[in-house]
Amino acid sequence: MKRLAILISGSGSNLQAIIDAVQAGQLDAQIAVVVSNRREAFGLTRAKQAGIPTLYFPLKPYRDAGRSREEYDADLAERLAACAPDLIVLAGWMHIFSPAFLARFRGCVLNLHPALPGQFPGMHAIQRAFEAYQRGEIAHTGVVVHWAVPEVDAGAVIAQAEVPIYAGDTLAELETRVHQSEHRLLVEAIRSAIS
Ligand code: GRF
């Protein structure tokens, strides 16, 4: 059975979608570990509730000790390698990995991004799409799951889906619609990646 390492930084609703799919027998995989760089990430609670091993691995101690991001990435890579993952899933992981990390897990790291390929890379993608729609620049947005490469939110697409924006949408309504699309797409993309 393929082993997944899921990396999160926030509420973990996408992690929950993976947990639910595994528990429902809709995803033939095992979540070997859930890693968060933030202690208060609710995703850690979700993992513990599902009996999944967790790892809290913050960057701050490295920064406080004057150690580099590369050292952080290298130590995290060691911890991850010990879990023998077949696939590393960045489900709302808010650090940008070094090329060395991605090279170590070449072809095994996939990333979820709440926009269409090449659109709104980086933070606050949904809000930026919402504002672009208000300016008449786009008619819809979307979500993408792609292989992670050093360039942020780039890399070969595994799966993507359009998400409609409606006149009168609030940002919260669009965010909900985007996240619902993510939850479906991420499970499909993982299924495709491990098949
Ligand atoms: C998702 O929208 C993901 O695309 C983005 O951060 C959000 C994480 O949400 N990078 P959650 O923690 O899975 O609820």
Side-chain angles (χ1 to χ4, degrees):
M1 182 175 282
K2 298 292 186 179
R3 295 168 58 85
L4 309 179
I6 316 291
L7 276 58
I8 61 163
S9 296
S11 72
S13 68
N14 284 282
L15 163 66
Q16 192 64 57
I18 301 167
I19 291 171
D20 295 347
V22 169
Q23 290 180 346
Q26 295 162 350
L27 185 59
D28 186 21
Q30 171 191 5
I31 304 174
V33 66
V34 171
V35 181
S36 175
N37 63 314
R38 294 178 54 231
R39 186 194 305 275
E40 65 277 11
F42 185 63
L44 290 174
T45 302
R46 295 178 193 269
K48 289 169 185 164
Q49 287 171 343
I52 298 168
T54 59
L55 170 63
Y56 165 54
F57 202 76
L59 173 60
K60 189 174 185 302
Y62 286 75
R63 285 210 168 117
D64 291 350
R67 300 179 67 195
S68 69
R69 275 300 304 274
E70 285 70 18
E71 288 181 277
Y72 171 84
D73 282 7
D75 290 351
L76 177 54
E78 284 301 317
R79 302 291 292 271
L80 279 172
C83 301
D86 297 293
L87 188 67
I88 295 173
V89 179
L90 308 184
W93 175 257
M94 300 315 273
H95 279 320
I96 296 169
F97 275 124
S98 62
F101 180 95
L102 295 172
R104 174 160 184 178
F105 298 108
R106 186 180 309 283
C108 298
V109 184
L110 64 77
N111 182 53
L112 169 67
H113 184 62
L116 288 172
Q119 286 203 341
F120 311 112
M123 303 282 287
H124 311 302
I126 302 172
Q127 180 170 342
R128 288 153 57 200
F130 182 71
E131 292 165 354
Y133 173 84
Q134 306 299 336
R135 294 192 299 269
E137 295 167 2
I138 60 174
H140 60 267
T141 188
V143 296
V144 62
V145 181
H146 60 86
W147 292 111
V149 294
E151 183 190 356
V152 174
D153 292 329
V157 172
I158 300 168
Q160 69 184 78
E162 291 187 0
V163 176
I165 309 176
Y166 303 113
D169 264 344
T170 63
L171 175 56
E173 286 166 334
L174 179 58
E175 284 174 338
T176 298
R177 195 175 306 129
V178 167
H179 291 320
Q180 287 167 343
S181 177
E182 286 188 309
H183 300 162
R184 287 192 302 272
L185 195 78
L186 183 55
V187 171
E188 287 169 21
I190 293 170
R191 188 180 298 120
S192 166
I194 62 176
S195 61

Short mmCIF file of all heavy atoms in Angstrom, two decimals, residues 8-15 46 91-94 111-114 126 178-179 182-183, ligand 1:
data_model
loop_
_atom_site.label_atom_id
_atom_site.label_comp_id
_atom_site.label_asym_id
_atom_site.label_seq_id
_atom_site.Cartn_x
_atom_site.Cartn_y
_atom_site.Cartn_z
N ILE A 8 1.21 20.17 6.15
CA ILE A 8 0.18 21.19 6.32
C ILE A 8 0.72 22.38 7.12
O ILE A 8 1.76 22.29 7.77
CB ILE A 8 -1.04 20.62 7.08
CG1 ILE A 8 -0.61 20.16 8.48
CG2 ILE A 8 -1.69 19.49 6.29
CD1 ILE A 8 -1.76 19.97 9.44
N SER A 9 -0.03 23.48 7.07
CA SER A 9 0.30 24.62 7.92
C SER A 9 -0.93 25.22 8.58
O SER A 9 -0.82 26.14 9.39
CB SER A 9 0.99 25.74 7.12
OG SER A 9 2.24 25.31 6.61
N GLY A 10 -2.13 24.71 8.16
CA GLY A 10 -3.34 25.39 8.64
C GLY A 10 -4.40 24.43 9.13
O GLY A 10 -4.11 23.46 9.82
N SER A 11 -5.66 24.71 8.73
CA SER A 11 -6.81 23.99 9.31
C SER A 11 -6.82 22.52 8.89
O SER A 11 -7.38 21.67 9.57
CB SER A 11 -8.12 24.64 8.89
OG SER A 11 -8.36 24.38 7.51
N GLY A 12 -6.20 22.22 7.72
CA GLY A 12 -6.13 20.82 7.33
C GLY A 12 -7.41 20.26 6.74
O GLY A 12 -7.66 19.06 6.80
N SER A 13 -8.25 21.12 6.15
CA SER A 13 -9.49 20.59 5.55
C SER A 13 -9.16 19.70 4.35
O SER A 13 -9.87 18.73 4.08
CB SER A 13 -10.42 21.73 5.13
OG SER A 13 -9.86 22.47 4.06
N ASN A 14 -8.05 19.99 3.67
CA ASN A 14 -7.65 19.11 2.56
C ASN A 14 -7.09 17.80 3.10
O ASN A 14 -7.33 16.73 2.54
CB ASN A 14 -6.62 19.83 1.67
CG ASN A 14 -7.28 20.86 0.79
OD1 ASN A 14 -7.87 20.51 -0.21
ND2 ASN A 14 -7.20 22.10 1.19
N LEU A 15 -6.35 17.88 4.20
CA LEU A 15 -5.90 16.65 4.88
C LEU A 15 -7.11 15.81 5.26
O LEU A 15 -7.13 14.59 5.06
CB LEU A 15 -5.11 17.01 6.14
CG LEU A 15 -4.91 15.90 7.16
CD1 LEU A 15 -4.03 14.77 6.60
CD2 LEU A 15 -4.31 16.45 8.46
N ARG A 46 -6.67 17.00 13.65
CA ARG A 46 -7.38 16.06 12.75
C ARG A 46 -6.59 14.74 12.61
O ARG A 46 -7.16 13.66 12.67
CB ARG A 46 -7.55 16.68 11.37
CG ARG A 46 -8.45 17.92 11.30
CD ARG A 46 -8.46 18.44 9.87
NE ARG A 46 -9.02 19.76 9.70
CZ ARG A 46 -10.30 20.01 9.44
NH1 ARG A 46 -11.17 19.01 9.39
NH2 ARG A 46 -10.71 21.24 9.25
N ALA A 91 -0.29 20.04 1.29
CA ALA A 91 -1.72 20.39 1.38
C ALA A 91 -1.85 21.64 2.26
O ALA A 91 -2.27 21.58 3.42
CB ALA A 91 -2.50 19.23 1.98
N GLY A 92 -1.43 22.76 1.69
CA GLY A 92 -1.49 24.00 2.46
C GLY A 92 -0.22 24.22 3.26
O GLY A 92 -0.22 24.88 4.29
N TRP A 93 0.87 23.67 2.79
CA TRP A 93 2.19 23.84 3.41
C TRP A 93 2.75 25.20 2.97
O TRP A 93 2.86 25.45 1.77
CB TRP A 93 3.13 22.72 2.96
CG TRP A 93 4.54 22.81 3.42
CD1 TRP A 93 5.62 23.21 2.67
CD2 TRP A 93 5.06 22.48 4.72
NE1 TRP A 93 6.76 23.13 3.42
CE2 TRP A 93 6.46 22.71 4.68
CE3 TRP A 93 4.50 22.02 5.92
CZ2 TRP A 93 7.28 22.48 5.78
CZ3 TRP A 93 5.32 21.80 7.01
CH2 TRP A 93 6.69 22.03 6.93
N MET A 94 3.04 26.07 3.94
CA MET A 94 3.31 27.45 3.56
C MET A 94 4.80 27.81 3.53
O MET A 94 5.18 28.95 3.67
CB MET A 94 2.58 28.40 4.52
CG MET A 94 1.08 28.18 4.47
SD MET A 94 0.41 28.05 2.80
CE MET A 94 0.14 29.76 2.44
N ASN A 111 1.88 19.38 -5.08
CA ASN A 111 1.41 20.59 -4.40
C ASN A 111 0.02 20.98 -4.88
O ASN A 111 -0.31 20.85 -6.06
CB ASN A 111 2.38 21.76 -4.67
CG ASN A 111 1.96 23.03 -3.95
OD1 ASN A 111 1.76 23.03 -2.74
ND2 ASN A 111 1.78 24.11 -4.71
N LEU A 112 -0.77 21.43 -3.93
CA LEU A 112 -2.13 21.91 -4.20
C LEU A 112 -2.11 23.43 -4.19
O LEU A 112 -1.50 24.04 -3.32
CB LEU A 112 -3.06 21.40 -3.10
CG LEU A 112 -4.48 21.97 -3.03
CD1 LEU A 112 -5.29 21.54 -4.23
CD2 LEU A 112 -5.14 21.55 -1.73
N HIS A 113 -2.74 24.02 -5.20
CA HIS A 113 -2.78 25.49 -5.23
C HIS A 113 -4.17 25.96 -5.63
O HIS A 113 -4.74 25.43 -6.60
CB HIS A 113 -1.72 26.03 -6.22
CG HIS A 113 -1.63 27.52 -6.24
ND1 HIS A 113 -1.27 28.26 -5.13
CD2 HIS A 113 -1.89 28.42 -7.22
CE1 HIS A 113 -1.32 29.55 -5.45
NE2 HIS A 113 -1.67 29.68 -6.70
N PRO A 114 -4.73 26.92 -4.89
CA PRO A 114 -6.13 27.31 -5.13
C PRO A 114 -6.29 28.35 -6.25
O PRO A 114 -6.88 29.41 -6.06
CB PRO A 114 -6.55 27.91 -3.79
CG PRO A 114 -5.29 28.50 -3.25
CD PRO A 114 -4.17 27.60 -3.72
N ILE A 126 -6.91 33.06 -3.78
CA ILE A 126 -8.36 33.15 -3.95
C ILE A 126 -8.80 34.61 -3.90
O ILE A 126 -9.57 35.08 -4.75
CB ILE A 126 -9.09 32.32 -2.87
CG1 ILE A 126 -8.65 30.86 -2.92
CG2 ILE A 126 -10.62 32.43 -3.06
CD1 ILE A 126 -9.18 30.01 -1.76
N VAL A 178 -14.08 27.18 -3.71
CA VAL A 178 -12.72 26.75 -4.12
C VAL A 178 -12.26 25.58 -3.25
O VAL A 178 -11.75 24.57 -3.75
CB VAL A 178 -11.73 27.92 -4.03
CG1 VAL A 178 -10.28 27.44 -4.13
CG2 VAL A 178 -12.02 28.95 -5.13
N HIS A 179 -12.47 25.69 -1.93
CA HIS A 179 -12.02 24.62 -1.04
C HIS A 179 -12.76 23.32 -1.31
O HIS A 179 -12.17 22.23 -1.29
CB HIS A 179 -12.15 25.05 0.42
CG HIS A 179 -11.18 26.13 0.82
ND1 HIS A 179 -9.87 26.15 0.39
CD2 HIS A 179 -11.33 27.24 1.58
CE1 HIS A 179 -9.25 27.22 0.87
NE2 HIS A 179 -10.11 27.90 1.59
N GLU A 182 -11.12 21.87 -4.19
CA GLU A 182 -9.81 21.32 -3.80
C GLU A 182 -9.95 19.94 -3.18
O GLU A 182 -9.17 19.03 -3.47
CB GLU A 182 -9.14 22.25 -2.78
CG GLU A 182 -8.59 23.52 -3.34
CD GLU A 182 -7.79 24.26 -2.30
OE1 GLU A 182 -8.32 24.47 -1.18
OE2 GLU A 182 -6.64 24.62 -2.59
N HIS A 183 -10.92 19.80 -2.29
CA HIS A 183 -11.07 18.54 -1.55
C HIS A 183 -11.30 17.39 -2.52
O HIS A 183 -10.74 16.30 -2.36
CB HIS A 183 -12.20 18.65 -0.52
CG HIS A 183 -11.97 19.72 0.49
ND1 HIS A 183 -12.99 20.24 1.27
CD2 HIS A 183 -10.85 20.40 0.86
CE1 HIS A 183 -12.49 21.17 2.06
NE2 HIS A 183 -11.21 21.29 1.84
C1 GRF B 1 -5.65 25.52 0.62
O1 GRF B 1 -6.48 26.46 -0.06
C2 GRF B 1 -4.37 25.33 -0.17
O2 GRF B 1 -4.56 25.34 -1.56
C3 GRF B 1 -3.60 26.54 0.25
O3 GRF B 1 -3.82 26.64 1.64
C4 GRF B 1 -5.13 26.12 1.92
C5 GRF B 1 -5.00 25.08 3.00
O4 GRF B 1 -6.27 24.83 3.49
N1 GRF B 1 -2.21 26.43 -0.07
P1 GRF B 1 -6.46 23.60 4.56
O5 GRF B 1 -5.40 23.81 5.65
O6 GRF B 1 -6.24 22.33 3.81
O7 GRF B 1 -7.86 23.76 5.06
#
